[in-house]
Amino acid sequence: MNKETSTDLLVVGAGIVGLAHAAVAADRGLTVRVIDRDHQAVGASIRNFGHCCITAQSGELYELAQASRRQWLRFSELAGFWAATSGAVVVARTDAELAVLRELSASREPGQVTVLDAAATRAKLGPAGTQAGWPELIGGAFLRDDLRVDPRTTVGRIASWLDSLPNAEVSWNTTAAGFTPLPDGGVRVSTSRGDITASRVVVCVGHDLDHLFPEEAAAHRIQRCSLNMALGRMPDGFHLGPAVLTATSMLRYPAFVETAAAGALRDEVSTTAPELLEIGANVMFTQRPDGSLLLGDSHHYHQSAPPFLDESVTETLLEHLEATLGSRPRVIERWQGVYASSEVGPLFQQEVLPQVTAVSVTSGVGMTLSFGLAERTIDSLFA
């Protein structure tokens, strides 16, 4: 589109939450501009597992996740990015783990959470189910509704698709410097490349909300959660269908945590592998289309995240990944993930100035909730 200085919606932040808001709005015929201070996506949206963990949400988050799932599939067709509907498998090696899975399965509609024996679990994992060792595996569960995307490429694909539309534009290397509500409605946003006037502004900058609206971020007690993650490879021919979760995943995602059986599982892990609880581990992995495995992760909380990765944390994760797979992936990359976290609640959505709404997922499931949250926001702003 021709560059304009006014638009129906200005989105600040071209991560997945911001782009989801832009995509939903543009799909409804609104004019949309997206600005981002970086030259390309480099934040939380590309540093994660690419796992849309639909099934393991509960309450409001579950409703948003299911709405998001529908939109993920719609926009994967429109924007042309890879989205796998192969679900997720939670592998179980103890009775305590199976008890959590059975309880969740009983609470959901038939077929959404299917409890499996060891042989069926290996079969559901795809070819890798027979190639890997999977020691001590006694069963598991298949989570039907979970999705996977490639975090390294998806944000870029959505941004390029938006920029190709006649009613949308994505501007990189453009920083928002100030917001001025106008007396006749709308907002003038000062940027490093000139002013933009918008009827509505949505600020989706994740953990960096404190850079623009520090008082609001402080009131919601937003911190930075930093993660140790790695990219690895297994021997040639190793192919997984679903995402793979383990016992520690059941101690992090709300639908698992809310089961009565979760307490016994936490006690078991605290006895058998306390080092995992000490680093806030979620031992899980997903496979990218090129065959590499996204491996992780740990959780550490700060106002400003130190950039230094503790190798002992990564080694602990790799040891437990090896115990799950039966052999150790060959690590080819390591990095620090960072996302917004808050003990106040999993979502921040607030009108911080007239016609300016800030939206952050403060619970580490931004990919999962992004499109559902965007749909709800756009509904409220452009009713």
Side-chain angles (χ1 to χ4, degrees):
M1 66 181 287
N2 295 326
K3 295 190 181 296
E4 302 285 348
T5 57
S6 63
T7 186
D8 293 327
L9 176 68
L10 174 66
V11 178
V12 180
I16 189 57
V17 174
L19 290 177
H21 280 77
V24 170
D27 192 46
R28 296 184 182 184
L30 298 169
T31 56
V32 179
R33 288 195 66 177
V34 182
I35 62 172
D36 193 282
R37 68 186 183 188
D38 283 305
H39 292 266
Q40 61 186 37
V42 295
S45 299
I46 69 162
R47 304 188 197 187
N48 59 76
F49 289 106
H51 174 219
C52 297
C53 188
I54 310 297
T55 312
Q57 307 309 314
S58 66
E60 176 192 17
L61 300 190
Y62 177 74
E63 294 175 2
L64 287 172
Q66 287 290 357
S68 191
R69 185 183 194 275
R70 293 189 292 272
Q71 295 284 20
W72 269 111
L73 295 176
R74 170 172 169 72
F75 285 105
S76 71
E77 294 183 0
L78 291 174
F81 60 85
W82 176 79
T85 58
S86 48
V89 168
V90 189
V91 295
R93 294 190 287 170
T94 71
D95 290 336
E97 295 168 20
L98 274 178
V100 173
L101 299 175
R102 290 191 179 108
E103 186 176 340
L104 180 59
S105 177
S107 72
R108 293 294 178 85
E109 66 179 66
Q112 189 188 55
V113 179
T114 304
V115 178
L116 309 169
D117 62 19
T121 300
R122 290 188 178 91
K124 188 62 75 172
L125 289 166
T130 57
Q131 294 165 344
W134 308 103
E136 303 175 20
L137 184 63
I138 66 169
F142 176 62
L143 312 183
R144 180 195 65 197
D145 294 343
D146 285 21
L147 301 176
R148 286 185 302 124
V149 297
D150 182 359
R152 301 291 181 94
T153 60
T154 297
V155 169
R157 292 281 176 86
I158 296 172
S160 295
W161 169 74
L162 277 168
D163 204 43
S164 73
L165 299 177
N167 60 323
E169 181 179 343
V170 179
S171 300
W172 299 97
N173 190 215
T174 304
T175 303
F179 305 83
T180 305
L182 301 175
D184 57 347
V187 186
R188 179 182 297 114
V189 181
S190 301
T191 84
S192 56
R193 296 183 182 274
D195 291 351
I196 302 171
T197 301
S199 299
R200 297 278 186 170
V201 177
V202 177
V203 178
C204 301
V205 293
H207 56 272
D208 286 338
L209 182 67
D210 57 358
H211 293 176
L212 292 174
F213 299 101
E215 292 183 1
E216 290 79 2
H220 196 69
R221 286 182 266 174
I222 293 177
Q223 300 184 84
R224 288 162 176 80
C225 179
S226 62
L227 324 170
N228 281 36
M229 295 192 69
L231 189 72
R233 289 194 178 276
M234 292 289 282
D236 290 346
F238 182 90
H239 176 70
L240 276 173
V244 178
L245 287 70
T246 70
T248 49
S249 309
M250 290 186 268
L251 297 179
R252 295 202 64 84
Y253 293 117
F256 298 122
V257 172
E258 292 165 8
T259 63
L265 176 57
R266 178 169 291 277
D267 290 343
E268 179 177 81
V269 175
S270 68
T271 299
T272 60
E275 68 277 9
L276 292 178
L277 298 182
E278 290 170 5
I279 64 172
N282 176 13
V283 179
M284 65 168 288
F285 46 96
T286 60
Q287 190 166 36
R288 298 179 61 217
D290 68 0
S292 59
L293 293 178
L294 292 156
L295 309 166
D297 60 6
S298 59
H299 297 77
H300 307 274
Y301 302 90
H302 333 260
Q303 289 302 119
S304 294
F308 312 108
L309 295 178
D310 185 339
E311 187 63 17
S312 69
V313 172
T314 300
E315 180 60 25
T316 295
L317 292 169
L318 289 172
E319 286 175 359
H320 285 274
L321 286 162
E322 181 177 2
T324 300
L325 285 162
S327 60
R328 178 176 291 217
R330 177 175 59 88
V331 174
I332 55 179
E333 290 180 0
R334 303 176 196 263
W335 67 92
Q336 181 187 61
V338 182
Y339 68 74
S341 177
S342 171
E343 61 185 17
V344 173
L347 301 172
F348 176 89
Q349 189 167 17
Q350 180 180 325
E351 188 175 53
V352 291
L353 289 170
Q355 315 304 317
V356 179
T357 301
V359 180
S360 289
V361 177
T362 54
S363 54
V365 287
M367 295 286 283
T368 300
L369 304 183
S370 54
F371 280 100
L373 186 57
E375 186 175 48
R376 186 173 77 176
T377 305
I378 299 304
D379 283 345
S380 68
L381 297 182
F382 296 94

